[in-house]
Amino acid sequence: MSDTVSKFITVSLDKRGVSCVAKLLDDVAPRTCAAVWDALPLSAPVFHGKYARNEIYTLLPAFAPADPGKENTTITPIPGDLCWFSFDSDDLGNPAYGYENTTGTGTTGAIVDLAVFYGRNNLLINGDQGWVPGNVFGAITENLDEFAAACQDLWMGGARGETLSFNRL
């Protein structure tokens, strides 16, 4: 029996007014969970994945005292997975990624990508970089179906003006 108490967060698409609850996976990704938990609340513009399929994400300047490194990684996230990716701004500066400025994300230095996967058949491969494993640090436990419908609406209806937020429950 574990003596740790499970931690839960809410993940929200603020403009669409939809949230889900996710359990942090402290037992398999303790460094990543601690980095996220200690930084909450987090909120920034949302993007829909172009390559991974059923993914929404936000890009933030590095916020942890140290990058957690790889732990509990995957290249095939399943519906409900929350993932952490570490990038350098040069990784995302290619105009092909579609960010609306000439400097890619507009952020320089280390970038944290917090992603939510809402459907099946995801594959984390990038045409410029190859495999891009992510740290699975959370699993949605409540309201995945409604959240997935909002994510699909984001894909078809557009992301402009929408934010993705992570908060302690």
Side-chain angles (χ1 to χ4, degrees), residues 55-84:
E55 171 198 21
I56 63 167
Y57 63 96
T58 192
L59 301 172
L60 302 156
F63 52 79
D67 188 272
K70 293 180 180 174
E71 63 178 0
N72 197 38
T73 60
T74 188
I75 57 164
T76 56
I78 62 173
D81 278 350
L82 305 184
C83 290
W84 165 300

Side-chain angles (χ1 to χ4, degrees), residues 35-163:
V36 171
W37 184 258
D38 291 346
L40 295 176
L42 294 166
S43 185
V46 67
F47 301 94
H48 195 286
K50 289 173 76 173
Y51 304 107
R53 292 198 180 131
N54 302 299
E55 171 198 21
I56 63 167
Y57 63 96
T58 192
L59 301 172
L60 302 156
F63 52 79
D67 188 272
K70 293 180 180 174
E71 63 178 0
N72 197 38
T73 60
T74 188
I75 57 164
T76 56
I78 62 173
D81 278 350
L82 305 184
C83 290
W84 165 300
F85 300 90
S86 297
F87 293 107
D88 182 272
S89 57
D90 292 337
D91 295 331
L92 302 178
N94 184 329
Y97 293 125
Y99 300 110
E100 292 183 321
N101 60 53
T102 58
T103 60
T105 63
T107 301
T108 58
I111 295 173
V112 173
D113 170 338
L114 295 182
V116 179
F117 291 87
Y118 65 89
R120 297 177 51 115
N121 300 321
N122 302 295
L123 186 60
L124 302 180
I125 189 165
N126 176 297
D128 297 325
Q129 300 175 24
W131 300 110
V132 184
N135 293 358
V136 181
F137 71 90
I140 295 175
T141 59
E142 295 177 31
N143 207 30
L144 177 57
D145 289 344
E146 184 181 358
F147 197 79
C151 292
Q152 186 64 35
D153 180 65
L154 184 87
W155 171 248
M156 298 304 295
R160 280 194 177 90
E162 182 64 88
T163 54

